[in-house]
Amino acid sequence: MLADDFFRLTHNDATGKPRVSKRVLSIGLAGALLGELVGLQLLDVQDVLVLQNDWMPADEIQRWMIGHLRREHYLPTRDWLAFFADAAYTQVGDRLAKNGHVEARKIGLPWNRRRSYFPVNMNTAAAPEAILKTKLRRVATGYPDDFGYEDTCLAGLVMAVGLEDWLLYDAPTPGAGQYLTWAVSELYPPMLRLIEHTKAAVAGLALAYRA
Amino acid sequence: MSKTPEPSVAATLARNRMGVPSIVFWVVSGAAVLTVIAGPVTTAYQVTGFKGIPIAYLILLGILAVFGAGFVAMSRHVVNAGAFYSYVMQGLGRPAGVAAAAVAVVAYSMMEIGLLGGFGAIAQTILYVAGGIDVSWIWLALAGWALVAFLGSRGVTANGRVLAVLLALELGTVIVYDAVLLAHPAHGHYDLAPLSPASLNAAGGIAVFCGLLASYVPIEASVAFAEEAKRKAVARGYYWALGITGVLFAVSSWALPVATGANRIQASAVGNGNELMFNLVLPYLGQTFVDAGHVFFLTSLLAGSLGFHGIVSRYLFALGRERVGPPRFGRLKPNGAPAAASRSLSLVVLASLFVCYQLHADPAVTLLFRLTVVAGFGILLLMAATSVAVAVFFRGTREENAWRRILAPSLATLLLAMVAGGTVTQFPTMLAVGPGDVRGWAFPASFGLVALVGLAHALYLRARKPHVYAAIGLGASVPTAPADIEVEVPPGGLADGQWRLDATVQGHRR
């Protein structure tokens, strides 16, 4: 699932520590969750979100999101991102825990306990990062077919939360960076717009001193 | 997912947004009253002997209240509400907006440089008085610069928890100091002359307005939270914060001449320098309380410098995102910091401090006082332009009432223009140079030059990069489609079309 892979990518595979601030991470996760609906062609993304088609997916989080989207129509995409960001971390974390990828633990000071998720197996935690970075390296050697739709969505969201340099760290730059930027721009338009909204939401946090 | 009724989007967003108390706390503590009074205000008394500072603060409070009516109203309708230039752009057009952005970047950078120089000066005094250690101000200013540069590139701003606590303690300290000073008036009576408009009629007085206006800059931050604040919180936050800081500034700046006697304020300031306030409270509060005050003075000079550093970094970030400035400024680090913008700014500040040192500038008088007055003049121009922009923006609409739409902005423009005009004519006096001296008009005129450079850049963009020009002013909403990036075809010579990704969506888990 897009959000599961995004979660694993944005956390250190050994310590489970997030690579970005909690607020930015939450916005990115919300974008990834909405991206799952876009991928199922259940959602169109403009400046507002518009539900498409009438069937319910099997996943619990997706069903929950569609329930909200059905109740309140045509709200701005930015508002939906902020809304889903509120619960995105625990929801995606719980989904990963259910599939055995992470375990949930309560951490923090006694008056400020919060649920946090830690990788169960370093190898599986690192898998999305390894796969994506390997594919980026292969781009320069001429194997673009490996870099598919989901990979591009994942890369686009990861860049939207400010992890572009980290993603491209050992890729053959500037070729890989340019390719990624172009590839994202060629994405299925609703997904591209969703990534742009996510990036704008993150920038908005920075401008309001809340990133 | 849960059985209880799900909250609406609006309710959830409102719960997470900042309320009036947060905004007011952020602004009032950011105003750094102790630092302003012990720093540039004391120096103003020393250099100009101008007694009307308290009434000037109250008059500015009135002007800003009028300005706020239109300003806050427009914040409900614009994107990127955190920046004056955004209002100018959306009211007066893109070229004016870019010109305003250039003026803002220069003015706020001057504030950072001035506060760092002031930090060097005050730290030098304190080290000498307390420990007999004689270190040149430049080394201390550089130490402050290094800390601000480091924290700035990490995205730390003055609303971090540690700084918030320090600033709150500073606020408490200045209130105690004021109470002590006001409880012990010189000769046993309260001289109300500094609170009388008649005191404004003094040489150099109007020019000091700009320096005092710079003290109010944190007010602008209240609308920076517009997108993150509850609907009515911005307006209420603005006026509460303005009222509290204005009264604090007025009372605190009045407390000094009350304690020394209004006719002796300049002599006392000359004799004590920036230690004036501390020396006055020492007999009543003891050394410990004064030492604490010194610590807060220093920490909030740094916090103020960091705050302006953050403002300029975010301006550069917004400009970089829109490709008005270098695109690399528009990138965020994983920690949420506009690090590239921050680092470039730090280099400019470093060079400026070095130049000031080479020119043998007095850090307390030239940097902490005069440079911040010049910066305040730039901010004054920005605010006047914003007022005009508000009036033009609402022209022909009925979305807000007539006071907010046209009357308040017009009145604010008039008042700010009067202050600006008075400032320009009295700058030579404030700088203590002769009427024909070039320095007297060069500083105000430099902002005109900066605005022209911004204007020219906008026109260049319109001619050469129209897609960039069209996106100016959209702030964080600018899409990042790379219209002007060329992709290298990687080795292997793949045909065009093989790169294209599936436009249809598979969507099912592989």
Side-chain angles (χ1 to χ4, degrees):
Chain A
M1 298 280 202
L2 186 60
D4 291 358
D5 287 345
F6 180 80
F7 189 103
R8 288 188 283 174
L9 264 173
T10 51
H11 287 77
N12 183 293
D13 48 281
T15 63
K17 201 164 161 290
R19 299 189 204 275
V20 293
S21 77
K22 195 72 183 299
R23 276 206 176 92
V24 170
L25 174 68
S26 300
I27 294 281
L29 281 169
L33 284 172
L34 287 170
E36 290 177 8
L37 293 179
V38 171
L40 293 170
Q41 290 190 301
L42 286 169
L43 194 64
D44 186 22
V45 178
Q46 306 285 346
D47 283 336
V48 297
L49 290 184
V50 182
L51 277 174
Q52 291 174 314
N53 299 319
D54 216 6
W55 54 275
M56 271 299 214
D59 179 74
E60 214 181 315
I61 302 180
Q62 291 169 1
R63 292 163 79 89
W64 173 77
M65 288 169 64
I66 289 180
H68 272 287
L69 289 161
R70 277 186 183 164
R71 269 196 295 278
E72 297 185 74
H73 301 286
Y74 302 113
L75 287 181
T77 304
R78 291 281 297 272
D79 282 358
W80 281 117
L81 276 170
F83 174 72
F84 288 125
D86 212 40
Y89 178 74
T90 40
Q91 285 182 332
V92 178
D94 284 347
R95 187 164 73 180
L96 281 166
K98 217 185 281 186
N99 294 332
H101 291 296
V102 300
E103 61 172 359
R105 269 183 249 156
K106 281 232 154 79
I107 61 166
L109 299 162
W111 55 85
N112 187 23
R113 309 286 287 173
R114 55 189 189 280
R115 203 175 335 166
S116 208
Y117 301 91
F118 296 89
V120 166
N121 181 314
M122 254 178 69
N123 291 327
T124 49
E129 177 186 347
I131 292 170
L132 203 55
K133 288 189 173 180
T134 307
K135 288 184 178 182
L136 270 174
R137 281 194 288 275
R138 284 161 66 85
V139 158
T141 64
Y143 290 89
D145 299 314
D146 283 337
F147 210 84
Y149 170 77
E150 275 213 12
D151 302 312
T152 312
C153 293
L154 204 47
L157 285 167
V158 164
M159 294 199 300
V161 295
L163 287 172
E164 182 168 348
D165 289 343
W166 169 82
L167 188 62
L168 293 169
Y169 181 66
D170 47 8
T173 54
Q178 285 187 334
Y179 170 75
L180 257 191
T181 313
W182 170 84
V184 169
S185 75
E186 294 275 317
L187 264 178
Y188 178 48
M191 189 66 214
L192 171 61
R193 288 192 286 269
L194 179 61
I195 290 173
E196 286 170 0
H197 278 294
T198 307
K199 190 163 184 174
V202 170
L205 285 179
L207 286 171
Y209 301 89
R210 299 192 103 193
Chain B
M1 294 204 18
S2 70
K3 295 284 186 289
T4 54
E6 297 278 1
S8 69
V9 173
T12 304
L13 296 185
R15 199 182 66 226
N16 291 334
R17 281 181 173 148
M18 297 180 76
V20 173
S22 312
I23 294 177
V24 171
F25 175 75
W26 209 102
V27 172
V28 172
S29 55
V33 180
L34 175 64
T35 301
V36 168
I37 300 303
V41 166
T42 300
T43 311
Y45 280 134
Q46 173 190 334
V47 169
T48 68
F50 177 54
K51 296 193 189 64
I53 289 179
I55 184 65
Y57 266 126
L58 290 174
I59 289 175
L60 278 171
L61 196 166
I63 295 177
L64 284 168
V66 173
F67 171 79
F71 181 54
V72 170
M74 192 168 163
S75 77
R76 293 192 270 270
H77 301 276
V78 304
V79 291
N80 191 11
F84 278 135
Y85 88 90
S86 196
Y87 295 76
V88 176
M89 194 243 78
Q90 287 172 67
L92 299 176
R94 291 179 175 90
V98 177
V103 169
V105 165
V106 170
Y108 290 135
S109 302
M110 282 180 177
M111 288 297 304
E112 181 185 349
I113 296 165
L115 288 172
L116 278 175
F119 174 78
I122 303 303
Q124 177 185 35
T125 306
I126 291 173
L127 275 178
Y128 187 71
V129 166
I133 308 166
D134 194 5
V135 180
S136 172
W137 71 270
I138 187 64
W139 299 116
L140 300 164
L142 286 177
W145 168 87
L147 188 61
V148 168
F150 173 74
L151 293 175
S153 71
R154 291 278 181 287
V156 176
T157 52
N159 65 335
R161 277 197 204 104
V162 169
L163 286 169
V165 167
L166 284 170
L167 290 170
L169 288 172
E170 186 217 10
L171 187 62
T173 305
V174 78
I175 291 173
V176 170
Y177 282 13
D178 286 348
V180 166
L181 292 174
L182 290 171
H184 300 92
H187 314 302
H189 83 274
Y190 293 94
D191 191 340
L192 294 176
L195 291 171
S196 154
S199 337
L200 293 173
N201 198 13
I206 290 286
V208 176
F209 264 68
C210 288
L212 307 185
L213 183 64
S215 332
Y216 280 110
V217 159
I219 290 292
E220 184 199 357
S222 60
V223 299
F225 301 126
E227 287 177 20
E228 298 284 321
K230 297 182 167 111
R231 251 185 37 123
K232 294 221 168 94
V234 173
R236 289 195 191 133
Y238 179 91
Y239 283 105
W240 272 106
L242 177 66
I244 294 173
T245 49
V247 167
L248 274 174
F249 282 140
V251 168
S252 306
S253 60
W254 181 53
L256 288 176
V258 161
T260 64
N263 291 329
R264 285 196 43 76
I265 183 61
Q266 184 170 24
S268 305
V270 168
N272 290 273
N274 296 103
E275 283 294 291
L276 176 62
M277 195 172 207
F278 303 103
N279 289 343
L280 285 171
V281 301
L282 180 61
Y284 308 104
L285 292 176
Q287 188 63 45
T288 313
F289 227 115
V290 165
D291 288 343
H294 280 136
V295 169
F296 299 141
F297 191 8
L298 288 174
T299 53
S300 86
L301 275 169
L302 279 182
S305 184
L306 184 61
F308 283 106
H309 188 93
I311 291 176
V312 179
S313 300
R314 277 155 184 78
Y315 259 77
L316 294 174
F317 166 72
L319 291 171
R321 259 185 69 84
E322 296 176 2
R323 310 247 173 118
V324 175
R328 66 189 180 87
F329 284 168
R331 301 256 299 265
L332 287 177
K333 284 281 158 204
N335 54 18
S342 172
R343 276 196 291 266
S344 298
L345 172 62
S346 294
L347 286 175
V348 169
V349 170
L350 178 66
S352 307
L353 286 172
F354 183 66
V355 165
C356 290
Y357 178 67
Q358 290 295 103
L359 293 175
H360 304 288
D362 179 318
V365 174
T366 305
L367 289 176
L368 186 58
F369 173 56
R370 291 201 176 115
L371 189 60
T372 57
V373 171
V374 172
F377 182 71
I379 295 165
L380 177 69
L381 293 177
L382 269 178
M383 291 176 62
T386 302
S387 273
V388 176
V390 170
V392 173
F393 180 81
F394 283 127
R395 191 184 50 183
T397 69
R398 284 272 181 278
E399 286 174 43
E400 303 278 350
N401 63 35
W403 168 248
R404 290 182 198 136
R405 253 185 8 242
I406 183 72
L407 296 171
S410 306
L411 182 58
T413 307
L414 181 64
L415 293 168
L416 290 167
M418 282 167 59
V419 175
T423 302
V424 169
T425 54
Q426 295 193 21
F427 236 85
T429 317
M430 201 265 311
L431 293 181
V433 299
D437 194 312
V438 67
R439 283 172 292 179
W441 56 263
F443 283 110
S446 64
F447 284 112
L449 185 62
V450 167
L452 279 175
V453 168
L455 203 66
H457 184 59
L459 294 174
Y460 162 78
L461 288 174
R462 188 165 71 179
R464 292 300 180 87
K465 296 187 183 176
H467 56 277
V468 171
Y469 182 78
I472 294 177
L474 293 177
S477 303
V478 172
T480 51
D484 53 352
I485 289 185
E486 286 179 23
V487 179
E488 277 175 33
V489 179
L494 293 160
D496 189 33
Q498 277 188 277
W499 290 101
R500 298 201 181 280
L501 300 164
D502 287 340
T504 58
V505 175
Q506 302 313 310
H508 300 290
R509 192 143 172 71
R510 285 189 232 105

